[in-house]
Amino acid sequence: MQASKIARAWFGVTALVVIAGLAAQIPVSAGTTGGTFHTPAGRVANLLAFFTIDSNILVGVGSLLLALGVAGKSILFGVLRLTGLVGITVTGVVFQVALADLYELHGWAVFADTMLHKVSPLMCVAGWLLFGPRGQLSWRILWWSLLYPLAWLAVTLVRGAVIGFYPYPFVDPGINGYGGVAFNCVLIGVLFIGLAAAAVGFDRTFSRRDEVDDYLAPDPSAPDPAEGVERIRDAGTY
């Protein structure tokens, strides 16, 4: 019971981290001048074009459901959990490797950046490793989870070709050419699939161990053999 309370508290804090990061990022984006979008509403709406924002939303929704104890064990939630987990891990890795030094941030932008690119990935991954829940991932769910990055990439490239905006340099054909973009996307795709496969393998392995532990654990409702021996002795029978 205590572990369950700690897990729900952890997921609740994770959801709050995402909410705080998004709440800080919205006014920062609205107040940024210049660029492709000339109105605050346009700049805020454009946040959904960023893989970071989308992944954090998935993590926030999944964590909130777990914190409230209403997540369930459906395939849909398994896809949500795995997609958010891998998406936010890729976000953290790619940001630190390729994007962290591209922008000079100040004020609330620093806070939003820290919440969405650093704290949220660490909280999500640590929460999944520590608390699971286990037994909800499968290879079928892995393939469904790939719809998210594929859909994001397709929309990003088509939208970018139409309006001339790409959220990240590594998917901008004007910078890298379509060959370079394809190469970058293959690398990130391999990372995504590898992390998803590792997560499914980890989940299945530890789920089986938990089942074995539960099977081998003594049944608290079973009679104590020692008490049976004492009864026999008291009855004078050997």
Side-chain angles (χ1 to χ4, degrees):
M1 181 63 70
Q2 186 66 24
S4 176
K5 290 182 178 179
I6 294 174
R8 291 178 67 170
W10 186 282
F11 295 132
V13 172
T14 303
L16 289 176
V17 166
V18 172
I19 292 171
L22 294 176
Q25 185 63 56
I26 288 172
V28 168
S29 296
T32 301
T33 58
T36 305
F37 304 93
H38 304 296
T39 65
R43 291 189 288 270
V44 170
N46 188 56
L47 284 174
L48 293 175
F50 289 86
F51 193 85
T52 294
I53 300 298
D54 299 335
S55 296
N56 270 282
I57 291 174
L58 293 174
V59 169
V61 171
S63 298
L64 184 60
L65 293 175
L66 288 167
L68 296 175
V70 296
K73 295 184 178 181
S74 66
I75 291 179
L76 180 60
F77 180 75
V79 173
L80 172 65
R81 185 74 170 136
L82 181 60
T83 304
L85 172 68
V86 179
I88 204 67
T89 304
V90 171
T91 292
V93 172
V94 173
F95 179 79
Q96 295 303 323
V97 171
L99 302 174
D101 297 328
L102 296 181
Y103 307 100
E104 185 176 350
L105 304 176
H106 304 279
W108 283 106
V110 175
F111 175 81
D113 174 76
T114 301
M115 293 295 104
L116 299 177
H117 285 116
K118 299 174 183 177
V119 181
S120 173
L122 289 174
M123 290 287 293
C124 179
V125 174
W128 182 76
L129 290 173
L130 292 171
F131 305 114
R134 301 281 169 253
Q136 293 193 334
L137 303 184
S138 66
W139 302 115
R140 179 185 180 187
I141 286 176
L142 183 153
W143 296 118
W144 279 112
S145 72
L146 298 181
L147 289 177
Y148 163 54
L150 290 174
W152 179 87
L153 179 61
V155 171
T156 296
L157 293 179
V158 172
R159 181 174 181 259
V162 173
I163 69 174
F165 173 83
Y166 297 89
Y168 304 108
F170 60 84
V171 292
D172 188 343
I175 297 175
N176 304 284
Y178 280 101
V181 169
F183 178 76
N184 293 334
C185 290
V186 167
L187 287 181
I188 295 175
V190 169
L191 175 62
F192 195 102
I193 294 173
L195 289 172
V200 172
F202 182 94
D203 180 74
R204 291 168 67 89
T205 298
F206 279 84
S207 295
R208 286 194 293 268
R209 289 186 181 180
D210 290 344
E211 290 173 359
V212 171
D213 291 342
D214 290 341
Y215 176 77
L216 295 177
D219 185 353
S221 63
D224 187 348
E227 293 180 0
V229 172
E230 291 300 323
R231 291 196 201 97
I232 293 173
R233 288 177 177 171
D234 290 342
T237 304
Y238 296 90

